[in-house]
């Protein structure tokens, strides 16, 4: 296989703080020998572990990019033991257009792992992370939020893993993040996800869902920034102890019943808001006809008892959309 064409413009192993780019060659109509310039900051102090902090895996999720800009700006290498690799806009072309997937190749970076060095731009980005940056890391924090089509209660999350020691290390890092909620998370389909690639390499992994709707709030941005600092402190990379201003409520997604999908197109009428408790069988949303009056709505009922932790964000729903996620406390 050909080597990955992405080249960092700053050294990945030099002491101090260096701001640069991961330069991905991208020849196109408006730039024959052009590049995609993915911002990266490398902060290194004394010998110690390496953290890889990423945001913008999906380009319409903003808490991670905000937190990582803040951390890249504020962290003094004198306070660092080890190394921090910060990539706020992982799928940079998607970030620039405020979209989940890349406008260049329509590929979802978080379904493209382990990627291809000879593939499309997004596949090359995935391959670079999988083959170059991930092997350098001991701990990985990948920030997500709901993007334009989902909204979440703010939580940090670990996955159920076969390796119980690895899972325990991930859970400890999730607790250190200190979001208002901490989740044992289940994926609808984990194939091709960055998460899966990180976990397959045996790393400690924290992901998040911190909000959504294609924006951030003052509260969600603050949770993201504090959580990033806390994970670095937990890993012994940044000086100081993690701060926990609020108790994190532990949640779990024990099986596929957590997910609620639409089977018709329609106009969403929420009956329950994020953070509210629901009982199995309780109606959580109605879907009204989007083309006529006088038709009974399709009612969506909760599959299980729990807390509404995620919901479809736009008012219009398509058949197949994930409408809601209910997690157990
Ligand atoms: Ca996401």
């Amino acid at each position: 296989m050909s080597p990955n064409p992405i080249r960092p413009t700053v050294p990945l192993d030099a002491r101090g703080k260096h701001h640069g780019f991961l330069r991905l060659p991208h020849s196109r109509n408006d730039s024959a020998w052009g590049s995609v310039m993915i911002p990266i900051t490398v902060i290194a102090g004394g010998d110690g572990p390496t953290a890889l902090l990423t945001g913008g895996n999906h380009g319409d999720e903003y808490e991670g990019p905000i937190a990582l800009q803040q951390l890249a700006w504020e962290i003094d290498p004198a306070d660092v033991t080890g190394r921090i690799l910060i990539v706020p806009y992982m799928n940079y072309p998607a970030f620039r257009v405020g979209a989940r997937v890349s406008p260049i190749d329509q590929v979802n970076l978080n379904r493209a792992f382990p990627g291809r060095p000879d593939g499309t731009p997004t596949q090359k980005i995935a391959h670079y992370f999988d083959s170059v940056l991930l092997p350098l890391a001991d701990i990985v924090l990948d920030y997500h939020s709901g993007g334009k089509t989902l909204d979440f209660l703010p939580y940090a999350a670990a996955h159920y893993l076969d390796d119980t020691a690895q899972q325990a290390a991930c859970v400890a890092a999730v607790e250190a993040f200190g979001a208002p909620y901490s989740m044992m998370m289940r994926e609808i389909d984990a194939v091709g996800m960055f998460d899966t690639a990180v976990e397959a390499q045996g790393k400690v992994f924290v992901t998040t869902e911190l909000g959504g709707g294609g924006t951030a709030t003052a509260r969600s941005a603050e949770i993201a920034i504090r959580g990033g600092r806390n994970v670095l402190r937990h890993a012994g990379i940044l000086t100081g102890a993690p701060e926990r201003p609020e108790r994190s409520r532990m949640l779990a997604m024990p099986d596929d019943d957590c997910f609620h999908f639409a089977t018709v197109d329609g106009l969403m009428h929420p009956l329950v808001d994020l953070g509210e408790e629901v009982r199995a069988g309780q109606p959580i949303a109605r879907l009204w006809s989007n083309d006529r009056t006088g038709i009974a709505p399709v009612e969506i009922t909760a599959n299980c008892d729990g807390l509404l932790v995620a919901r479809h964000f736009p008012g219009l729903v398509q058949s197949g959309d994930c409408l809601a996620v209910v997690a157990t406390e």
Side-chain angles (χ1 to χ4, degrees), residues 1 41 65 68 76 117 120 126 148 152 163 237 284 299 315 317 320-321 328-329:
M1 212 141 26
T41 293
L68 295 177
D76 182 341
T120 69
K148 288 179 174 169
F152 283 87
D163 181 335
I237 296 172
I284 54 177
E299 209 155 62
V317 168
D321 285 352
T328 57
E329 189 148 16

Side-chain angles (χ1 to χ4, degrees), residues 5-53:
I6 295 177
R7 296 287 177 270
T9 67
V10 290
L12 299 178
D13 55 2
R15 296 282 173 98
K17 175 146 74 170
H18 299 273
H19 304 287
F21 301 92
L22 302 172
R23 194 179 62 77
L24 163 61
H26 182 222
S27 177
R28 56 196 195 268
N29 280 339
D30 63 351
S31 189
W33 287 7
S35 309
V36 172
M37 302 292 276
I38 305 167
I40 183 171
T41 293
V42 181
I43 311 173
D47 290 339
T50 293
L52 172 61
L53 311 183

Side-chain angles (χ1 to χ4, degrees), residues 57-58 60-61 100 110-111 143-147 152 208-209:
N57 183 334
H58 293 131
D60 61 348
E61 303 175 5
R100 180 173 178 82
N110 214 28
R111 301 293 183 273
Y143 285 98
H144 284 258
S145 299
F152 283 87
T208 70
E209 296 290 359

Side-chain angles (χ1 to χ4, degrees), residues 160-224:
Y160 298 97
L161 301 176
D162 293 335
D163 181 335
T164 52
Q166 186 188 8
Q167 180 177 314
C170 295
V171 170
V174 164
E175 289 173 344
F177 186 99
Y181 299 86
S182 298
M183 179 74 81
M184 286 308 299
M185 194 172 178
R186 185 169 297 279
E187 301 292 347
I188 293 171
D189 180 6
V191 173
M193 293 182 71
F194 183 47
D195 314 51
T196 307
V198 177
E199 289 158 357
Q201 291 194 27
K203 312 298 183 180
V204 177
F205 182 63
V206 177
T207 187
T208 70
E209 296 290 359
L210 295 174
T215 190
T217 65
R219 178 168 181 258
S220 67
E222 180 55 34
I223 291 166

Side-chain angles (χ1 to χ4, degrees), residues 69-84:
Q69 281 282 13
Q70 175 78 31
L71 295 179
W73 179 255
E74 77 178 15
I75 291 177
D76 182 341
D79 295 329
V80 172
T81 303
R83 175 172 52 175
I84 310 169

Side-chain angles (χ1 to χ4, degrees), residues 205-248:
F205 182 63
V206 177
T207 187
T208 70
E209 296 290 359
L210 295 174
T215 190
T217 65
R219 178 168 181 258
S220 67
E222 180 55 34
I223 291 166
I225 294 164
R226 190 180 63 228
R229 289 188 197 121
N230 280 348
V231 167
L232 291 171
R233 287 170 175 151
H234 168 77
I237 296 172
L238 185 63
T239 54
E243 21 162 339
R244 302 222 180 110
E246 47 193 327
R247 186 180 72 91
S248 188

